Amino acid sequence: MRNLIVGIALYISLAFCALCNASTLIQRDSSVASAGQVQREFVRRLSTGTKVYFPFNAEFTNYTERWSVASAPEIAVVVVPATAQDVATTVKIANAFGVPFFAMNRGHGSTISQRNVRHGVEINLRNLASINIAKDGMSAAMGGGVFVDEIIETLDAKGKTTVTGSCACVGGMGPALGGGFGRYMGYWGLAADQIIDLDVVLADGSMTKVSATSNPDLFWGMRGAGHNFGIVTQFRYKIYDRPTPTWFYSIMFFTNDKLEKFFELLNNQVDNGNQPKELTGYTLFLMNPEISKTEPVILYTIYYAGPVAAAEPYLAPFSKLGPVIATSGTTSYPEFANAVGSGVDSPVCQDGGSAALFPTGLKTFNGTANRAVWTLFKKMVTEQPGFQNSIVQFENYPVQKMQSIDPASTAYAHRDDNLLVSWTMIYTPSSALDALVPQYGHQARALFDAGEPQRPLNAYVNYAYGDETVEQMYGYEPWRVQKLKSLKKRYDPQNRFRFYNPIVR
């Protein structure tokens, strides 16, 4: 281990340091540091529990593999810190060398802005994954590297739950930094709304507590635009008594001749943002050759926090519409993601492919626009069979609690949206297909926009492709954008956190 830590200085100098020569590595604090001094600094400053991997190490691939190859940062060194202090020290060392650093948990971010990391230091938070429930049962302290499935399982074992991302395979904190949609948001709001306080490593490597009473301006920014301001090593999070022991689901497939009526029914269910807190809907356009080899089909999944009898009134209209395939079941919440295809081992969660999302926030589903999107989707998979695994997502979460929270209270700007849709391109890594992604994605988003011409484009930052404007991701109110930019000047004047849908370009 010591040899690896010592070696990092030499590896960074070779990979990054155009300033260097054989005897001089970096200029720091107005003095020149020799190679030996840098080596000794790494040995002295990183704890023995910290792991450091280079491309020649077998473990390097495991720690750098991502959900989307197309948007992967270029990493030269992986540091797996044992403590929060090691995170801070790694940031300081990267700053001393003038090289980029990039924090990672599960690796599911797909924005193309991550490509701007060149020969970077990955700070992998996996070892910071503790979960400690408070004695009063109202909160839990969690490490910045904890995964959603771990949160759900640990809390459920104590009769507790909270708001997390819907896919079990994503990190716990990453979604919350950009807002965070999940199946329990009808009860308690966004994932960001559950944050009580955060331990954050800032751009200069200093460590600070962030809460409503400690750095309250940064607390505002971290909840909705947090990727721009710091690395969360630990967070305290609201938790709740589990409201139901079981969840019901039903998965139905419809042919495209039902499209207009389907979205009419779905709008009735959404009820202009008033659907029951227990109810979530998830719809896809996708190819299913068992139903049709040439026509995209509609997949609709209903999630309900409770028994089948309570869900039946919401299910019945879709059952009457005539699905060609239907299946349903009831399960515990820890098993729910596996049951509906978003568990850790599900195909959608596997690393090594390429993906790009083009999200749009909406008030209501427009049947005409959705038909046009369906037609474009069919055209795309016909012209480019490499995109056959792509999908179009239509997510209708219960939003009343989210919308009851003052929109000015956090940096998350899109509380007025009732719906989240996303043209989602999934494909085997290919530079030829990479080049076609923006063409189809922008066409699709223009079609969604045409369905609500009176509203500007709202792009959910956790899904954003990466070429959206600051206003589209973080809000159009001038005061909001100015506040975010002022926070950047105060907490990250050198724009070190600029690789995940940045506020400052």
Side-chain angles (χ1 to χ4, degrees):
M1 177 60 207
R2 286 290 182 177
N3 289 338
L4 284 176
I5 293 176
V6 170
I8 189 173
L10 293 177
Y11 190 86
I12 290 177
S13 68
L14 291 172
F16 306 129
C17 193
L19 307 175
C20 312
N21 57 41
S23 60
T24 302
L25 289 182
I26 56 173
Q27 185 79 31
R28 186 184 59 207
D29 299 331
S30 301
S31 62
V32 176
S34 70
Q37 288 172 325
V38 173
Q39 290 174 8
R40 287 191 294 271
E41 182 176 12
F42 273 88
V43 172
R44 177 176 62 86
R45 296 178 65 185
L46 291 175
S47 75
T48 55
T50 293
K51 306 295 184 182
V52 182
Y53 301 113
F54 309 106
F56 53 78
N57 296 126
E59 298 89 345
F60 183 87
T61 298
N62 293 334
Y63 280 101
T64 56
E65 193 170 32
R66 299 186 62 84
W67 183 62
S68 176
V69 173
S71 56
E74 185 179 286
I75 300 300
V77 180
V78 174
V79 178
V80 188
T83 68
Q85 183 59 61
D86 288 320
V87 175
T89 300
T90 302
V91 168
K92 289 177 181 178
I93 293 171
N95 286 342
F97 280 97
V99 299
F101 55 84
F102 186 82
M104 172 175 158
N105 188 2
R106 206 75 188 239
H108 274 245
S110 60
T111 173
I112 60 172
S113 61
Q114 295 170 145
R115 297 177 189 165
N116 294 324
V117 178
R118 294 285 185 267
H119 306 297
V121 177
E122 177 189 305
I123 303 173
N124 192 293
L125 300 174
R126 182 60 193 128
N127 284 348
L128 306 181
S130 60
I131 303 176
N132 295 297
I133 298 175
K135 290 182 179 180
D136 64 8
M138 297 180 66
S139 66
M142 307 186 195
V146 72
F147 297 165
V148 161
D149 59 326
E150 295 169 336
I151 295 172
I152 291 173
E153 290 171 6
T154 301
L155 296 185
D156 190 80
K158 300 296 184 180
K160 297 289 184 177
T161 194
T162 192
V163 182
T164 67
S166 293
C167 285
C169 54
V170 300
M173 177 46 54
L177 295 177
F181 285 71
R183 299 185 190 97
Y184 271 121
M185 63 184 282
Y187 287 81
W188 304 299
L190 296 168
D193 298 327
Q194 315 315 311
I195 298 172
I196 300 170
D197 59 45
L198 304 153
D199 292 343
V200 179
V201 174
L202 299 176
D204 62 358
S206 62
M207 303 168 69
T208 191
K209 180 74 73 175
V210 179
S211 70
T213 57
S214 177
N215 301 301
D217 55 345
L218 185 56
F219 187 56
W220 177 88
M222 291 295 294
R223 294 173 298 151
H227 310 91
N228 287 271
F229 298 112
I231 301 171
V232 177
T233 57
Q234 182 171 276
F235 57 100
R236 198 155 55 97
Y237 207 65
K238 298 174 187 176
I239 65 174
Y240 307 90
D241 292 335
R242 184 181 58 205
T244 176
T246 59
W247 276 68
F248 169 79
Y249 66 90
S250 181
I251 303 170
M252 293 173 277
F253 287 87
F254 299 90
T255 50
N256 84 89
D257 58 301
K258 304 289 200 308
L259 186 149
E260 284 75 15
K261 182 62 177 179
F262 172 85
F263 281 104
E264 179 184 326
L265 293 175
L266 202 53
N267 275 330
N268 291 339
Q269 183 188 91
V270 172
D271 191 20
N272 194 30
N274 292 306
Q275 71 188 57
K277 66 182 180 181
E278 299 88 355
L279 178 66
T280 298
Y282 182 61
T283 302
L284 299 175
F285 293 162
L286 78 168
M287 299 303 297
N288 185 330
E290 294 182 5
I291 299 173
S292 174
K293 291 182 170 58
T294 59
E295 303 274 291
V297 299
I298 303 166
L299 181 155
Y300 174 60
T301 306
I302 184 172
Y303 312 137
Y304 192 86
V308 60
E312 181 58 34
Y314 308 105
L315 182 64
F318 297 94
S319 297
K320 291 178 182 177
L321 186 60
V324 293
I325 299 174
T327 185
S328 61
T330 300
T331 185
S332 67
Y333 198 54
E335 293 299 322
F336 194 76
N338 289 327
V340 299
S342 58
V344 172
D345 296 323
S346 301
V348 71
C349 282
Q350 303 315 300
D351 291 337
S354 283
L357 285 73
F358 293 80
T360 305
L362 302 174
K363 294 294 284 185
T364 189
F365 292 120
N366 183 300
T368 302
N370 291 347
R371 171 59 73 180
V373 170
W374 181 91
T375 301
L376 176 63
F377 187 76
K378 178 183 176 181
K379 179 175 183 287
M380 179 186 74
V381 298
T382 300
E383 294 176 344
Q384 301 293 335
F387 290 131
Q388 285 276 332
N389 291 326
S390 298
I391 56 178
V392 184
Q393 302 182 80
F394 304 81
E395 302 178 63
N396 57 288
Y397 293 93
V399 296
Q400 303 98 309
K401 182 62 178 179
M402 175 189 76
Q403 293 181 348
S404 73
I405 296 170
D406 182 2
S409 65
T410 71
Y412 182 74
H414 304 318
R415 292 184 187 269
D416 190 48
D417 292 343
N418 293 334
L419 308 165
L420 176 61
V421 301
S422 179
W423 179 273
T424 303
M425 306 180 74
I426 302 171
Y427 54 102
T428 300
S430 160
S431 58
L433 294 180
D434 289 343
L436 297 174
V437 164
Q439 169 190 326
Y440 288 111
H442 291 143
Q443 286 183 64
R445 193 141 64 179
L447 294 173
F448 280 127
D449 281 348
E452 290 192 343
Q454 74 282 8
R455 301 184 78 229
L457 169 63
N458 290 341
Y460 181 45
V461 66
N462 289 339
Y463 285 11
Y465 176 62
D467 64 354
E468 295 87 348
T469 67
V470 171
E471 290 77 11
Q472 287 168 345
M473 292 187 290
Y474 296 109
Y476 291 88
E477 306 99 317
W479 70 265
R480 186 181 292 276
V481 174
Q482 183 55 48
K483 186 171 182 177
L484 287 169
K485 290 183 177 180
S486 295
L487 287 174
K488 283 294 285 186
K489 289 180 181 179
R490 178 177 178 183
Y491 290 100
D492 184 14
Q494 302 303 314
N495 202 21
R496 298 291 278 157
F497 292 106
R498 62 184 184 277
F499 302 114
Y500 194 94
N501 297 326
I503 295 166
V504 177
R505 308 292 173 91

